[in-house]
């Protein structure tokens, strides 16, 4: 799929990986809608249309999808970057505390992703396909924590494991409409989410990254998003983007 003149909905586009994606898609000539709970970053290109959205709220997601159709006449790609990454101790001092915290992480990261795909794909399926028979592409953000999560990441890993494992069944189901479904499993990236870690924890994380021996840069994530959009033969796969990190 060509990015130029196509329309993309990016969730979580106000910060980190989503912000880099918004910037890249806009620079490549795409129409971009940023659906995020938080206000857009100052570095957001002025052409990007922002709509305050919680990915867990079906009405708000519907409004974001409708905006793509009313403003740009269609929707060709969805990049799900909205997410939260709190640490949760399963053995909790607070009664039912771990359960509530886990529910919130799974609600945003997993159910939020599924919610956006489900609501966006319905009107997208009615669009005219392009010359390749393609109507749209969905790119979800998993994590290497789907495979090797650290202590305190059980709910986060479960949420990202869900994002990773729904990639293939979604790609299979949605093939009949000319949709592709892919996921990226990033390693450790320099974003506000990771900046919130204590400095000791982030130094230890970098220690486990073989090469390049540094955190990933958000534009490197956006570069892979672009490749997935443009390379029609990529479908049904989770790509690790992680400099060979295996978290310990
Ligand atoms: N940074 C990393 O190292 C890393 C690694 C693996 C996976 N990820 C995943 O990448 C995604 C982006 O992370 P990031 O590092 O850019 O984080 P970030 O905190 O910089 O950005 C996340 C964005 O999501 C938005 N958001 C949160 N809850 C939302 C909701 N309910 N509805 C709409 N928007 C919401 C936030 O407002 C924020 O703008 C997340 O899913 C995260 O789990 C990040």
């Amino acid at each position: 799929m060509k990015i130029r003149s196509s329309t993309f909905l990016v969730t979580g586009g106000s910060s980190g990986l989503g912000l880099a994606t918004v910037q890249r898609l806009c620079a490549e000539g795409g129409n971009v809608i940023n659906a995020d709970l938080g206000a857009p970053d100052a570095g957001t290109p002025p052409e990007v249309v922002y709509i305050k959205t919680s990915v867990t709220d079906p009405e708000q997601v519907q409004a974001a999808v409708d905006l793509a159709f009313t403003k740009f006449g269609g929707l060709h790609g969805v990049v799900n970057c909205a997410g939260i990454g709190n640490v949760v101790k399963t053995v909790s001092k607070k009664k039912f505390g771990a359960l509530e915290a886990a529910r919130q992480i799974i609600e945003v990261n997993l159910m939020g992703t599924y919610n956006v795909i489900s609501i966006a794909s319905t009107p997208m399926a009615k669009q005219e396909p392009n010359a390749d028979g393609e109507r749209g592409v969905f790119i979800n953000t998993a994590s290497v924590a789907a495979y090797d999560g650290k202590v305190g990441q059980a709910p986060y890993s479960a949420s990202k494991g869900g994002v990773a494992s729904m990639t293939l069944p979604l790609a299979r189901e949605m093939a009949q409409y000319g949709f592709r479904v892919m996921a990226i499993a990033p390693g450790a990236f320099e974003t506000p989410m990771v900046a919130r870690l204590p400095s000791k924890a982030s130094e230890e994380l970098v220690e486990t990254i073989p090469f390049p021996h540094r955190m990933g840069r958000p534009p490197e994530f956006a570069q892979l998003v672009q490749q997935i959009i443009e390379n029609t033969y990529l479908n049904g796969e989770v790509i690790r983007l992680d400099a060979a990190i295996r978290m310990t």
Side-chain angles (χ1 to χ4, degrees):
M1 174 177 295
K2 286 195 177 65
I3 293 177
R4 185 159 299 284
S5 303
S6 295
T7 300
F8 299 91
L9 178 73
V10 180
T11 73
S14 295
S15 176
L17 305 182
L19 172 61
T21 300
V22 159
Q23 289 167 329
R24 179 124 194 169
L25 294 179
C26 199
E28 293 297 318
N31 307 312
V32 184
I33 294 179
N34 167 24
D36 195 308
L37 258 185
D41 183 88
T44 307
E47 313 88 282
V48 173
V49 178
Y50 169 70
I51 177 164
K52 187 178 165 82
T53 311
S54 174
V55 292
T56 61
D57 183 322
E59 300 290 339
Q60 292 181 17
V61 171
Q62 185 70 62
V65 169
D66 289 349
L67 186 62
F69 282 84
T70 51
K71 189 150 182 74
F72 299 115
L75 181 59
H76 309 99
V78 174
V79 188
N80 275 305
C81 293
I84 53 175
N86 307 336
V87 168
V88 181
K89 290 285 168 61
T90 304
V91 183
S92 173
K93 289 187 189 118
K94 208 169 134 203
K95 197 177 180 195
F96 308 139
L99 188 63
E100 262 323 297
R103 199 191 302 279
Q104 196 197 359
I105 291 171
I106 290 168
E107 181 71 18
V108 174
N109 294 357
L110 177 56
M111 299 314 297
T113 298
Y114 189 76
N115 188 33
V116 174
I117 295 172
S118 172
I119 291 172
S121 59
T122 304
M124 286 169 72
K126 298 182 190 132
Q127 298 180 127
E128 282 302 308
N130 68 16
D132 290 325
E134 190 175 21
R135 287 192 172 83
V137 55
F138 295 85
I139 303 171
N140 302 322
T141 309
S143 167
V144 295
Y147 311 104
D148 37 83
K150 293 170 80 73
V151 171
Q153 284 194 310
Y156 181 76
S157 293
S159 73
K160 295 302 186 177
V163 170
S165 63
M166 72 185 178
T167 308
L168 184 60
L170 280 174
R172 286 174 165 164
E173 177 189 342
M174 295 167 97
Q176 62 186 305
Y177 304 106
F179 292 140
R180 292 182 293 125
V181 184
M182 288 288 295
I184 301 173
F189 274 69
E190 280 166 2
T191 70
M193 183 185 277
V194 169
R196 286 189 286 271
L197 290 173
S199 60
K200 188 162 175 284
S202 74
E203 279 160 23
E204 281 172 10
L205 204 51
V206 172
E207 272 311 302
T208 61
I209 304 174
F211 184 82
H213 188 51
R214 59 166 173 80
M215 289 205 192
R217 298 171 183 137
E220 293 169 330
F221 175 90
Q223 191 181 351
L224 182 54
V225 169
Q226 177 174 357
Q227 172 63 198
I228 292 171
I229 293 168
E230 291 176 343
N231 191 331
T232 311
Y233 214 66
L234 281 168
N235 193 12
E237 182 59 298
V238 185
I239 302 177
R240 287 183 75 123
L241 182 66
D242 67 358
I245 194 175
R246 297 295 179 271
M247 292 197 296
T248 54

